[in-house]
Amino acid sequence: MQYLDNIFGYPIPLFLKNIIIGVVAIVLGILIKFIIHKMFILLSRWWDFIIIKSTIKHLRRPVAVFIPLLFLNFSLDLMVMPAKIRLPLDKVLEIGLTITFALILVRLINVLEDFFYLKYDLNKENNLKERKIRTQLQFVRKFIVSLIILITAAIILLSFESMRKIGAGLLTGVGIGGIIIGFAAQKSLGNLLAGFQIAFTQPIRIDDVLIVEGEWGKVEEITLTYVVVNIWDQRRLILPITYFIEKPFQNWTRVSADLLGTVFLYLDYTIPIEPLRQEMTRLLSSNPLWDKRVNVVQVTDSTKDGSIEVRFLMSASNSSRAFDLRCNIREAMIAFIQTNYPGSLPKKRLEFKDKFDGI
């Protein structure tokens, strides 16, 4: 057995020296991580900034692993050990550092996402710009995270000699392989390109109100391959992202969240219209859902069964308010007509002829 120089008169085996060096390196890494963590906590107390708080939240754990691993990797140069132990240890540390560094990059994206999400808050009344930025950020984040994962996996696999040989062999058939992969991945590539198109041309955005497949709902999530629409009754409609490139749909908040609401009532010809206009104005003036832009009552049609179509047109700041406002006005106007003009409710007219006429 090999020994080092005497320390305090005692010989120290090489394996014990290596353990001491490794433990010291890990402890030093933990100490430096602790100092950095405390510095960020102090900064967060002095400076109330979202990036500092988000950095502490997202990066605390991956950095707590990365720094000790990095110091342990540096300490290998001070250790003396046989190649059959050194090479596997080098490989394990290399893979560990690669994975934790990739995780740090992903968490850094989360930090930036928190900053932009605070800056562009969807809770604003008119949030068109915020929804536009959020849609682009969400797609770009998912794309970059997927890219980081793929590159990390490639780096780990190519660090093995056997995988490099396989890769070199595959390069000889790259032409045919590329054609085969192109056909196989045609659908996936189409979804990816459609995702880019949606993220930057933006026919839909996060929190847009849509009528799609006969359903009313809001865009909840846009991924690289599909879109999640939150239906009004809390169901989730999952659609491929290419759907919004290839098929028509209604977007109620494409330009702005402002929306017109319509109520149709079918009444008898005897109904006076002017009292309806006055009552409509009174109802809207006392309703906080009305945004004071549009207030119209019009006779828009007459039907063959002896009734007229009266349209009540009103406006609201968003689709949810417009729906509630329409329900309120419909109920109130029906109650008003029942109380004041019950004879003007729709009637069925029947004409009886005397069978003895003409005798």
Side-chain angles (χ1 to χ4, degrees), residues 278-324:
Q278 295 173 4
E279 179 65 10
M280 172 79 161
T281 301
R282 187 188 70 80
L283 291 172
L284 289 178
S285 299
S286 61
N287 197 314
L289 298 175
W290 184 48
D291 65 1
K292 298 178 174 57
R293 288 188 302 117
V294 177
N295 171 17
V296 176
V297 177
Q298 294 173 316
V299 178
T300 52
D301 199 4
S302 58
T303 63
K304 293 180 180 179
D305 61 357
S307 63
I308 59 174
E309 180 185 76
V310 182
R311 184 181 71 176
F312 300 85
L313 192 63
M314 64 217 76
S315 59
S317 58
N318 58 55
S319 59
S320 298
R321 284 173 166 254
F323 179 82
D324 291 338

Side-chain angles (χ1 to χ4, degrees), residues 55-66:
T55 299
I56 296 172
K57 175 185 174 182
H58 293 294
L59 291 177
R60 181 179 60 183
R61 291 181 180 176
V63 169
V65 177
F66 181 77

Side-chain angles (χ1 to χ4, degrees), residues 120-136:
Y120 300 101
D121 187 7
L122 285 180
N123 293 322
K124 292 181 179 179
E125 188 67 31
N126 189 2
N127 59 0
L128 181 63
K129 180 180 179 181
E130 285 72 19
R131 290 187 287 110
K132 177 180 179 180
I133 298 296
R134 287 265 191 127
T135 301
Q136 293 175 340

Side-chain angles (χ1 to χ4, degrees), residues 66-99:
F66 181 77
I67 294 178
L69 280 180
L70 186 64
F71 275 81
L72 182 59
N73 187 59
F74 290 153
S75 70
L76 290 181
D77 294 333
L78 304 175
M79 299 181 186
V80 179
M81 62 182 70
K84 64 181 181 179
I85 298 177
R86 175 67 178 265
L87 292 178
L89 188 57
D90 273 339
K91 183 61 65 179
V92 170
L93 286 175
E94 180 184 345
I95 293 173
L97 285 170
T98 303
I99 293 174

Side-chain angles (χ1 to χ4, degrees), residues 66-280:
F66 181 77
I67 294 178
L69 280 180
L70 186 64
F71 275 81
L72 182 59
N73 187 59
F74 290 153
S75 70
L76 290 181
D77 294 333
L78 304 175
M79 299 181 186
V80 179
M81 62 182 70
K84 64 181 181 179
I85 298 177
R86 175 67 178 265
L87 292 178
L89 188 57
D90 273 339
K91 183 61 65 179
V92 170
L93 286 175
E94 180 184 345
I95 293 173
L97 285 170
T98 303
I99 293 174
T100 51
F101 184 70
L103 183 57
I104 287 173
L105 291 179
V106 171
R107 294 298 180 88
L108 280 172
I109 294 172
N110 291 335
V111 171
L112 292 175
E113 186 180 37
D114 286 348
F115 171 73
F116 283 107
Y117 275 20
L118 181 66
K119 185 175 181 181
Y120 300 101
D121 187 7
L122 285 180
N123 293 322
K124 292 181 179 179
E125 188 67 31
N126 189 2
N127 59 0
L128 181 63
K129 180 180 179 181
E130 285 72 19
R131 290 187 287 110
K132 177 180 179 180
I133 298 296
R134 287 265 191 127
T135 301
Q136 293 175 340
L137 284 176
Q138 191 178 93
F139 182 83
V140 170
R141 177 183 66 82
K142 290 178 179 178
F143 178 75
I144 293 176
V145 169
S146 300
L147 197 61
I148 290 172
I149 293 172
L150 288 174
I151 292 174
T152 302
I155 290 172
I156 293 172
L157 291 175
L158 292 176
S159 67
F160 294 96
E161 186 65 29
S162 58
M163 295 303 297
R164 286 202 296 269
K165 290 179 180 179
I166 293 173
L170 289 174
L171 286 175
T172 58
V174 69
I176 298 175
I179 294 173
I180 294 172
I181 292 172
F183 277 112
Q186 185 177 6
K187 202 94 177 167
S188 299
L189 290 173
N191 281 332
L192 184 62
L193 293 175
F196 273 111
Q197 186 175 347
I198 283 176
F200 293 98
T201 61
Q202 297 198 333
I204 59 171
R205 306 180 185 92
I206 297 297
D207 213 39
D208 265 349
V209 176
L210 307 181
I211 300 292
V212 58
E213 295 292 308
E215 300 281 4
W216 182 98
K218 288 187 176 182
V219 178
E220 184 176 65
E221 185 180 5
I222 301 175
T223 72
L224 298 178
T225 55
Y226 63 86
V227 175
V228 180
V229 180
N230 186 355
I231 306 303
W232 66 272
D233 57 1
Q234 298 186 353
R235 289 176 293 142
R236 299 301 190 273
L237 182 62
I238 313 297
L239 296 165
I241 201 164
T242 51
Y243 180 96
F244 297 93
I245 302 297
E246 299 170 353
K247 295 186 178 182
F249 60 93
Q250 293 183 40
N251 188 336
W252 288 9
T253 52
R254 176 69 178 86
V255 178
S256 71
D258 300 338
L259 201 66
L260 296 182
T262 306
V263 170
F264 289 100
L265 293 181
Y266 295 90
L267 305 168
D268 191 74
Y269 277 90
T270 59
I271 187 74
I273 304 301
E274 190 57 35
L276 298 183
R277 290 195 176 99
Q278 295 173 4
E279 179 65 10
M280 172 79 161

